[in-house]
Amino acid sequence: MRAVLLASEGAAQVSFPILSAVVLTPVVGSVLVALISRRRPEVAKQAAVLFATATGALAIGVLALFHTHQAGFQLTDHVTWIEDPQISWSLGVDGISLWLVVLTGVLFPIAMFGAPPHHDDKPFYAWLLLLEAGCLGAFLARDLFLFFIFFEIVLVPMYFLISGWGYEERRYAANKFFLYTMFGSAFMLVGVLATAYLHAKGGPVTFDLQTLAEGQGVIAKTTARWLFLSFAIAFAVKVPLFPVHTWLPDAHTQAPTAGSVILAGVMLKLGTYGFLRFGLYLFPEAAVWAAPGLVTLGVIGIVYGAICATMQKDLKRVVAYSSVAHLGFIALGTFSLTTQGIQGSVFQMVAHGISTGSLFLLVGWIYERRHTREIAALKGLQKPAPIFAAVFTIVMLSSIGLPGLNGFVGEFVILQGSFLTRRWWAVVAVTGVILAALYLLWAYQRVFHGEPDGDNATFRDLRFSEGLVMVPMIAAIVFMGVYPKPIFDRIQPSVDRLVAHVEDNSSYRQPKVATKGADIVPESERRTEEHAGSGEDAAETEAGH
């Protein structure tokens, strides 16, 4: 089966290098914005939004050109960069990365339009465009060294966005973010180099992802597990998983609104995507070995993040800790190692980006109106701003996981898939859904219900421009909740291919539901039982003759 799937590699190609255009368009935009005079800040914003919108249009073009039922990389670009070692500008998109590319292309112009800076427009937009290029490059890279470059590029613009346009403790939060992520990346750099050179065994060194992944058995099992851990540390910090999550609430709280939207919506997905693309694909046996530990960390994050969110006094920190909980669900689905669990994880990456990004936009608009995010200082906002409250309600319910909205679909499929292999972990994770309803509904009740007093009584309702920003977000929330089939149709072939790769290169076999009752019987045990049964039947037949 794997040979058939790999035969589709690169099947969808066009003469125009659209993936390179997706990555390089924001780079060109960043340079041009940086060259604009500081005396024309309105031109800087217009140029930035133009290039971000063009990038979004190209991302939608990638979606339109994508062949739904193909599992391999499509629309591939490949140009040799360095001959020895073999490093290439190699880009490709499959069902796992497709929707993350579309999410990135759509979310950046929305963040720019909906959350402009209060000073120094030009460098702000230049950094945002460079950040967009780094995120897109990481999602599309098929060369391990190229991925590492893009994975690191995103740190610089986000550091300057937090430290330059954040709030009171912005420098502390920016330094903590940078040090944590650089610490993790140092391990990954060692892992990238070791993987390539150990795979070469004295021959030509290559960083091509598929070549390394298909060369299973070249690296010893114990060595592969150490290499997996070097990647896992970097991805766990970027997600972030418990206990290396402590930089995230500070970064979210102190970042400007646009920075929080992009951090939650896109940047954190570099870690969850990295586990799928480089953890499971490069080191399938090691991923199976480490899965129980990583699932445990994910479930701890679900419960811990929800409890911490319940205790917060700052509305933005409530949303920040909710991200820790939701990302724990993604880790649970990924390392359930089932088709349903991984599909749910990919879906939830996109759903979380839309819902949490929308929440950060709304919280940012509350701060602009009231100059505070303290829940105790906000009261009765629903009365002077009913439309604002209605939009907040829809987004909040999507984050809780209300049926009919996007958050429910992702969490349900994750729990369904993880129940097959991680039954008790899934049972504990369900408490996170209950706690999410607790902390978000309680926060909403305190902020929007009651009789407004003081400045709360004159709270301004949603402006027309803000409504335009929220329309595509609400539309995506409802569409993904009501009709998720088009998303899953494009995700499933690549996930099937990944699970088959894990099965081919490890002792893991995806479980199936038994035909009688609700018990789960692993395929390996089922085959043993069937073989034993056929042997007994043959013996009885021979005895009868």
Side-chain angles (χ1 to χ4, degrees), residues 73-283:
F73 288 102
Q74 302 181 34
L75 307 171
T76 53
D77 293 341
H78 185 94
V79 177
T80 301
W81 188 6
I82 300 173
E83 290 288 349
D84 190 17
Q86 296 175 10
I87 300 175
S88 302
W89 174 270
S90 183
L91 306 177
V93 64
D94 67 350
I96 294 173
S97 58
L98 172 67
W99 293 107
L100 294 171
V101 172
V102 174
L103 174 68
T104 305
V106 171
L107 205 56
F108 268 86
I110 288 176
M112 290 180 182
F113 190 74
H118 298 291
H119 62 89
D120 296 332
D121 288 24
K122 188 180 81 163
F124 179 85
Y125 288 117
W127 285 126
L128 267 180
L129 285 168
L130 185 61
L131 177 61
E132 182 177 20
C135 292
L136 288 167
F139 291 139
L140 294 171
R142 295 194 305 156
D143 182 279
L144 208 54
F145 192 81
L146 185 66
F147 169 79
F148 178 80
I149 291 175
F150 284 123
F151 191 81
E152 292 302 289
I153 281 177
V154 300
L155 303 185
V156 178
M158 183 53 74
Y159 170 83
F160 282 109
L161 287 169
I162 296 173
S163 62
W165 289 269
Y167 298 99
E168 294 80 7
E169 302 294 328
R170 59 185 180 275
R171 290 183 176 84
Y172 166 78
N175 289 333
K176 190 175 183 179
F177 156 76
F178 195 86
L179 290 174
Y180 265 73
T181 48
M182 279 296 293
F183 170 80
S185 298
F187 284 92
M188 188 169 72
L189 177 59
V190 174
V192 166
L193 295 174
T195 300
Y197 280 90
L198 289 173
H199 183 274
K201 286 192 172 296
V205 177
T206 180
F207 291 88
D208 180 73
L209 174 62
Q210 186 174 327
T211 302
L212 296 173
E214 296 305 317
Q216 297 292 320
V218 176
I219 300 176
K221 180 187 295 186
T222 302
T223 304
R225 290 178 177 181
W226 282 108
L227 293 175
F228 173 84
L229 289 177
S230 69
F231 282 81
I233 291 171
F235 297 143
V237 172
K238 186 77 81 176
V239 171
L241 291 179
F242 177 91
V244 290
H245 68 283
T246 59
W247 64 267
L248 181 64
D250 292 328
H252 269 316
T253 305
Q254 300 302 324
T257 299
S260 293
V261 171
I262 298 305
L263 182 60
V266 179
M267 268 196 66
L268 302 183
K269 309 310 184 299
L270 295 179
T272 53
Y273 171 79
F275 273 122
L276 281 173
R277 177 65 74 220
F278 300 95
L280 269 65
Y281 190 37
L282 280 177
F283 309 105

Side-chain angles (χ1 to χ4, degrees), residues 427-443:
V427 171
V428 176
V430 171
T431 61
V433 179
I434 301 169
L435 290 171
L438 171 64
Y439 64 73
L440 283 173
L441 288 174
W442 189 31

Side-chain angles (χ1 to χ4, degrees), residues 309-310 312 315 318-319 359 362-363 366 375 378-383 385-397 400 436-450:
T310 307
Q312 298 307 306
L315 187 58
V318 172
V319 182
L359 280 175
L362 292 166
V363 172
I366 290 175
I375 295 175
L378 302 168
K379 182 182 178 182
L381 301 186
Q382 179 176 297
K383 189 171 183 179
I387 299 176
F388 195 109
V391 172
F392 197 101
T393 300
I394 295 172
V395 177
M396 173 195 66
L397 292 175
I400 290 174
L438 171 64
Y439 64 73
L440 283 173
L441 288 174
W442 189 31
Y444 180 87
Q445 181 184 34
R446 288 178 287 168
V447 171
F448 286 93
H449 288 185

Side-chain angles (χ1 to χ4, degrees), residues 276 333-334 336 338-349 409-410 413-414 487-496 499:
L276 281 173
T334 297
S336 70
T338 61
T339 300
Q340 299 100 317
I342 296 176
Q343 283 188 91
S345 294
V346 177
F347 187 96
Q348 188 65 8
M349 290 184 210
V409 176
V413 177
I414 286 172
I487 293 92
F488 282 120
D489 282 348
R490 289 158 178 79
I491 295 173
Q492 183 174 352
S494 296
V495 171
D496 286 341
V499 174

